[in-house]
Amino acid sequence: VIDCDVHPLMRGGLADALKYLTPAWQQRLQPLAKSIECPGVSRDEITAGACLLVPLVRLNAWSDSLMAAAVASACNDYLIDEWIASDPRPKLALLLPSLAPATAVDEIVKHGGRPSVVAATMPLVNLLLGEAHYHPIFAALQDHDLTLVLHPTGAEGLFLGAPALAGGTSFSAAERSILMHQVAQANLCSLILQGTLERFPQLRVVFSGFGFGWLPALLWRMDMDWRRLRIETPWVRQAPTEYVQQHVWFTATDHSELRGKDSIRSPALAALEDRVLYGSHDGAATLDAGARWGVPQLAFPRWEPAPLEPSPPV
Amino acid sequence: MSLQSGSHSTREWHRVAALGDLEVGVARVVSVQGRSIGIVRLDDGVFALRNSCPHQGAEIFNGGVITGTMVPSQPGELVYGFEDQVIRCPLHGWEFDVRTGNAVFGISPKRVVVYPAEVRGEDVFVALPRAAGQ
């Protein structure tokens, strides 16, 4: 089992990684360090034989892009030393600060050559991914053959500067969770219609934790409006669905819309099955081996199989 | 006897307009044997297409304009071309090549039906399939 959605826990939050900050940033962040959380599971809670670690830090809740850059860099150093240096099972998605593209590129260059680094993750901000702001980051990802993994941090729809959810400010975490797919839809639309996947033809993107039951309706509308309004974006050279089939993946657990007992079943969804990667979100892999899943090695070509060894006891 | 569409034995030529009455780049809709047909004069010839969009059957030449379109380009660039060679449907904006009836740049495998058209002297003729029993 390869689990493509596991979040590594830093028990003390940024306090765990304080030593990787410069002395000045240590002074600046020490009082806040425990409140800067990186929630998830500890190493012994992971049951899959191989997994992708996607650090979740609410960098997109902060307006201070310098702080986001410093924290991302320290978290990467920590996770490399503590999680992947001595354990062949986990691979890492580097944490990138969306509003500090120069730092994001530096992190990719610094760590992107490590065999255990196969991806990068970037908390989304209120600037859609098709914008030129991200071009240096995408160029660096493409150069290092790293896959971009997008995952909600919980700041969406809640903090100024994080992506807004449609209609207004939702009352509860439940409402935000229900509506979170809007963020994925908007960014997927932006990546395709702004020509990002033409500009970076090797770029691969995984939308993780956003579900995908909404995808057939979005793709139908994107294809239809592309035919109708192609003159607005003539660089979109094929139907949007084609870009998804070539560049984009999604993650789901057993309990998601596709395979759970309450699943949505439609031919349009079934046609997208191989774009869906298994991701437990909580490290407790319960993969239904009989189901058809996307092949992680296609989404993450840098992912080389670890030497065979028995999984640790659950 | 050939059953091949468009062979001389299965189609019939009809005079549809005087060439001098057709303005270059402006479609004229004519009715021939109950078929509504758009006639388009360009600098290098005259073209005849069924007045029906293959998407949802809209009368593509009633309100549709003969225009150019944006050519597939690099991201962020607009390049205009094919002036007077594209018919854009008024209903949903689908665009077709007036010379071939094909949807532009692969937006759809559907195509507008094209009839053979010829200029003979000062007159424009269009060939339609011969009606059954004729």
Side-chain angles (χ1 to χ4, degrees):
Chain A
V1 176
I2 294 181
D3 187 342
C4 297
D5 189 30
V6 172
H7 307 296
L9 171 67
M10 290 167 63
R11 253 178 231 291
L14 181 67
D16 290 357
L18 216 52
K19 71 173 181 180
Y20 297 101
L21 291 165
T22 64
W25 276 108
Q26 287 179 20
Q27 285 294 319
R28 166 91 166 75
L29 292 177
Q30 191 156 25
L32 309 171
K34 283 188 177 169
S35 67
I36 297 175
E37 296 177 339
C38 184
V41 296
S42 57
R43 195 202 310 261
D44 56 11
E45 290 177 276
I46 298 172
T47 61
C51 65
L52 180 68
L53 301 176
V54 181
L56 291 185
V57 182
R58 285 190 176 184
L59 304 182
N60 54 350
W62 309 336
S63 58
D64 186 337
S65 58
L66 294 176
M67 182 167 119
V71 168
S73 181
C75 289
N76 287 332
D77 289 339
Y78 172 85
L79 291 165
I80 287 166
D81 282 356
E82 299 297 324
W83 277 76
I84 66 172
S86 58
D87 187 344
R89 290 180 304 153
K91 304 294 181 185
L92 179 65
L94 291 172
L95 179 60
L96 304 181
S98 311
L99 290 178
T103 300
V105 170
D106 287 347
E107 290 296 298
I108 293 167
V109 171
K110 182 177 171 189
H111 301 298
R114 291 175 183 274
S116 291
V117 172
V118 301
T121 187
M122 192 165 70
L124 290 164
V125 295
N126 226 352
L127 182 69
L128 292 167
L129 288 174
E131 296 295 337
H133 168 90
Y134 299 103
H135 288 174
I137 300 174
F138 295 157
L141 289 173
Q142 186 173 260
D143 285 349
H144 290 77
D145 209 16
L146 299 178
T147 303
L148 179 63
V149 178
L150 303 166
H151 196 292
T153 67
E156 298 80 6
L158 191 57
F159 288 86
L160 207 59
L165 302 182
T169 307
S170 297
F171 171 77
S172 63
E175 284 181 41
R176 290 191 292 276
S177 173
I178 292 163
L179 299 174
M180 193 61 74
H181 63 92
Q182 295 170 353
V183 175
Q185 297 201 33
N187 279 286
L188 179 57
C189 214
S190 175
L191 282 170
I192 292 173
L193 273 293
Q194 288 224 47
T196 305
L197 300 174
E198 286 287 345
R199 199 183 288 271
F200 301 101
Q202 307 305 318
L203 189 64
R204 296 172 304 274
V205 183
V206 178
F207 286 88
S208 189
F210 292 99
F212 63 93
W214 41 267
L215 201 52
L218 180 76
L219 293 179
W220 181 88
R221 184 159 290 282
M222 268 206 279
D223 285 357
M224 191 55 66
D225 278 349
W226 168 69
R227 291 187 188 101
R228 193 167 70 89
L229 299 170
R230 191 198 59 85
I231 56 172
E232 287 187 1
T233 56
W235 44 83
V236 182
R237 291 166 181 256
Q238 54 184 2
T241 295
E242 301 288 318
Y243 291 101
V244 171
Q245 294 284 7
Q246 294 156 8
H247 295 266
V248 184
W249 285 263
F250 305 83
T251 69
T253 70
D254 277 352
H255 307 294
S256 68
E257 49 260 68
L258 186 57
R259 296 178 188 92
K261 62 179 179 181
D262 299 325
S263 61
I264 301 164
R265 295 190 184 278
S266 76
L269 262 187
L272 292 161
E273 275 191 322
D274 64 357
R275 311 310 298 178
V276 182
L277 306 169
Y278 176 71
S280 71
H281 193 69
D282 60 7
T286 52
L287 174 74
D288 172 5
R292 186 175 143 215
W293 292 95
V295 178
Q297 287 85 353
L298 295 178
F300 305 98
R302 289 273 307 277
W303 198 322
E304 291 171 8
L308 281 177
E309 56 183 302
S311 295
V314 177
Chain B
M1 178 177 164
S2 170
L3 293 175
Q4 190 180 340
S5 171
S7 75
H8 289 290
S9 58
T10 57
R11 68 190 184 192
E12 189 172 19
W13 289 91
H14 302 267
R15 181 189 176 281
V16 292
L19 183 63
D21 290 343
L22 297 178
E23 195 178 333
V24 171
V26 178
R28 166 178 295 199
V29 177
V30 300
S31 180
V32 183
Q33 291 189 329
R35 292 169 203 259
S36 184
I37 297 172
I39 310 294
V40 182
R41 179 180 180 184
L42 300 181
D43 287 335
D44 60 342
V46 175
F47 301 87
L49 299 92
R50 188 173 168 194
N51 185 22
S52 175
C53 179
H55 175 213
Q56 291 191 354
E59 294 186 353
I60 192 166
F61 287 101
N62 290 351
V65 290
I66 308 297
T67 178
T69 191
M70 295 299 171
V71 178
S73 57
Q74 293 303 306
E77 286 181 3
L78 289 181
V79 180
Y80 185 75
F82 298 98
E83 177 68 1
D84 286 342
Q85 296 179 43
V86 171
I87 174 73
R88 182 182 300 150
C89 181
L91 191 56
H92 293 106
W94 288 30
E95 294 179 336
F96 300 89
D97 184 336
V98 294
R99 295 166 188 274
T100 65
N102 292 331
V104 300
F105 307 121
I107 60 167
S108 171
K110 295 178 178 178
R111 51 198 300 272
V112 182
V113 173
V114 176
Y115 302 106
E118 279 183 12
V119 177
R120 299 179 189 167
E122 293 302 313
D123 294 315
V124 176
F125 285 79
V126 171
L128 296 185
R130 197 181 295 273
Q134 285 190 316

